Amino acid sequence: MKLYTYFRSSAAYRVRIALNLKGLAYDAVPVHLLKDGGQQRKPEYLALNPAGLVPALEVEGQVLSQSLAIIEYLDETQPAPPLLPSDPLGRARVRAIAQAIACDIHPLNNLRVLRHLKREFGISDEQKDAWYRHWCELGLAAVEAMLTGDARTARFCHGDAPGLADCCLVPQVFNARRVNCRLDDLPTVMRIAEACEALEAFRLAAPAHQPDAE
Amino acid sequence: MKLYTYFRSSAAYRVRIALNLKGLAYDAVPVHLLKDGGQQRKPEYLALNPAGLVPALEVEGQVLSQSLAIIEYLDETQPAPPLLPSDPLGRARVRAIAQAIACDIHPLNNLRVLRHLKREFGISDEQKDAWYRHWCELGLAAVEAMLTGDARTARFCHGDAPGLADCCLVPQVFNARRVNCRLDDLPTVMRIAEACEALEAFRLAAPAHQPDAE
């Protein structure tokens, strides 16, 4: 398997965690989002992934895109250890936590969006950081409420083994720390993120451990 | 089943389509995103769905959130007709198309985001529309490339029966038309959207057919 990745992309970070949790070896192909005007916009990469985003996973002669779709594929084809629970209500809950991050927070704070804001509306770096923190804090507060209000939250987001929701939570918390979000009101989110970060699968997937880290 | 919905919400629209495709009856509970300072932010609703977003589905004594998680739940508990193919590569493809819309386009054009842009950066209505069209056109161009470049695209996004990707495509095309996006370069997207719109399940899920339509 070949993973097209960028060390700091949180979507790629999610997939790296999932691959590590499954114990699957892969070749990392770095796609630098800033160099050469953005390597993800080169024709060679667009031929693989027309959306021009990372990550993408080359497997079985095909190229899969979208981090959550890739992780579900890994979970279906390499079921142990499972990243989703077996009951439909539990699966819906785990997917909802993952999507509360992947749909409601991350897309607003993507590099391409921050650049567009600056280019089109001429916002300052301060305004850019405030925008980032606003969506990150609002979204993580919702995740905190989803976690604290539910007895299925345990050592990890859903039970005592890490899964899809944790694969999304940790990269988002990484970003939240990087932009100095307020984290005091997120005791459950932070407790779970720290439990994850103690595991090698999460540690080795972190941006600083990637071959393309700067 | 009770669906918390807003006629114009594209995430709720997706779930309405899925419920109709499955032939499942439900009670629609309108949550008006503009009235009363936003009914989705009232404590009664936040107690059901802490993210304060629509849709939410009350079922089996629980409240599910996030449109894609809800549709996957429906597909797992009411398998006929299936909204995802049975092979893992096909499932990954359908989910990736759905997420290219639900993660890469829609979150940027959400009502709350447009309002935030206006409030924080004081952008004009023209700038707001340009922002909307930018992400919608860029994202739908990626979806068009995903569809045209793949032999599994047929009458619908994946094969000859509508599924999860189509549930996402039609509401996004509805939005694209509403804000006058350029659609000429999207022959496959538009052909499939029109094939869907000819079906009653899609027609009855449209904003104009909702009890809370204005």
Side-chain angles (χ1 to χ4, degrees):
Chain A
M1 278 188 292
K2 239 190 231 178
L3 180 69
Y4 295 86
T5 176
Y6 177 60
F7 74 111
R8 208 180 250 162
S9 152
S10 25
Y13 189 174
R14 293 174 199 147
V15 175
R16 295 193 302 255
I17 297 167
L19 285 161
N20 292 350
L21 286 170
K22 297 279 185 189
L24 296 170
Y26 63 93
D27 293 320
V29 184
V31 179
H32 203 294
L33 302 190
L34 299 166
K35 268 186 205 158
D36 314 326
Q39 295 176 347
Q40 75 282 10
R41 284 191 287 266
K42 299 276 164 216
E44 310 84 83
Y45 188 72
L46 291 174
L48 295 170
N49 181 3
L53 297 167
V54 291
L57 185 74
E58 208 171 309
V59 64
E60 294 188 61
Q62 293 196 20
V63 180
L64 311 184
S65 65
Q66 294 292 338
S67 61
L68 300 190
I70 292 171
I71 297 174
E72 295 249 10
Y73 167 85
L74 294 173
D75 207 43
E76 291 178 356
T77 52
Q78 309 275 350
L83 301 180
L84 284 161
S86 56
D87 61 307
L89 282 174
R91 294 164 72 82
R93 176 176 184 252
V94 169
R95 288 182 176 126
I97 297 169
Q99 290 165 20
I101 294 166
C103 300
D104 295 345
I105 306 177
H106 178 62
L108 294 161
N109 292 340
N110 232 336
L111 187 59
R112 61 176 193 158
V113 173
L114 302 176
R115 287 175 146 192
H116 191 81
L117 282 171
K118 196 148 193 175
R119 193 172 52 235
E120 295 299 314
F121 307 144
I123 66 168
S124 65
D125 283 342
E126 247 168 40
Q127 284 177 307
K128 193 186 74 175
D129 290 348
W131 161 276
Y132 200 122
R133 281 195 296 268
H134 173 76
W135 298 114
C136 194
E137 291 177 358
L138 186 73
L140 284 178
V143 172
E144 177 74 17
M146 290 169 91
L147 291 170
T148 52
D150 198 300
R152 292 167 291 184
T153 304
R155 182 160 176 74
F156 298 102
C157 285
H158 192 88
D160 286 324
L164 174 67
D166 305 287
C167 291
C168 296
L169 189 72
V170 164
Q172 191 59 53
V173 166
F174 174 87
N175 287 343
R177 286 194 194 109
R178 201 159 66 90
V179 296
N180 298 315
C181 284
R182 208 166 9 84
L183 303 171
D184 306 344
D185 305 334
L186 307 171
T188 315
V189 162
M190 295 311 292
R191 173 183 65 69
I192 293 172
E194 283 159 24
C196 290
E197 286 161 347
L199 302 178
E200 194 174 73
F202 286 83
R203 221 168 32 77
L204 296 178
H209 282 88
Q210 303 317 301
D212 58 330
E214 280 157 16
Chain B
M1 278 189 294
K2 238 190 230 179
L3 180 69
Y4 295 87
T5 176
Y6 177 59
F7 73 111
R8 209 180 253 164
S9 152
S10 28
Y13 188 176
R14 293 174 200 148
V15 175
R16 296 193 303 256
I17 297 167
L19 286 161
N20 291 350
L21 285 171
K22 296 279 185 190
L24 297 169
Y26 64 93
D27 293 321
V29 184
V31 179
H32 202 294
L33 301 190
L34 298 166
K35 268 188 202 155
D36 313 327
Q39 295 176 348
Q40 76 282 12
R41 283 190 288 266
K42 298 277 165 217
E44 311 85 83
Y45 187 72
L46 290 174
L48 295 170
N49 180 5
L53 297 168
V54 293
L57 185 74
E58 209 170 309
V59 63
E60 295 188 61
Q62 293 196 23
V63 180
L64 311 185
S65 65
Q66 294 292 338
S67 61
L68 301 190
I70 293 172
I71 296 174
E72 295 249 9
Y73 168 84
L74 294 173
D75 206 44
E76 290 178 357
T77 53
Q78 309 275 351
L83 300 180
L84 283 162
S86 55
D87 61 307
L89 282 175
R91 295 163 73 80
R93 177 177 184 249
V94 169
R95 286 182 177 126
I97 298 169
Q99 290 164 22
I101 294 166
C103 299
D104 295 344
I105 307 177
H106 178 62
L108 294 161
N109 292 340
N110 231 336
L111 187 59
R112 61 179 193 156
V113 173
L114 301 176
R115 286 174 145 191
H116 191 81
L117 282 172
K118 195 148 195 175
R119 193 171 53 234
E120 295 300 313
F121 307 143
I123 65 169
S124 65
D125 283 342
E126 244 167 44
Q127 285 177 307
K128 193 186 73 175
D129 290 348
W131 162 276
Y132 199 123
R133 279 194 296 266
H134 173 76
W135 298 114
C136 196
E137 290 176 0
L138 186 72
L140 285 178
V143 172
E144 177 74 17
M146 290 170 90
L147 292 171
T148 50
D150 198 302
R152 293 166 292 184
T153 304
R155 181 161 177 74
F156 298 101
C157 285
H158 192 88
D160 286 324
L164 174 65
D166 305 287
C167 291
C168 295
L169 189 73
V170 165
Q172 192 58 54
V173 167
F174 174 87
N175 288 343
R177 286 194 193 110
R178 201 159 65 89
V179 297
N180 299 315
C181 284
R182 207 165 11 85
L183 303 171
D184 305 344
D185 304 333
L186 307 171
T188 316
V189 162
M190 297 311 293
R191 172 184 64 71
I192 293 173
E194 283 158 24
C196 290
E197 286 161 346
L199 301 179
E200 192 172 74
F202 285 82
R203 221 168 31 79
L204 296 178
H209 282 89
Q210 303 316 301
D212 58 331
E214 278 157 16

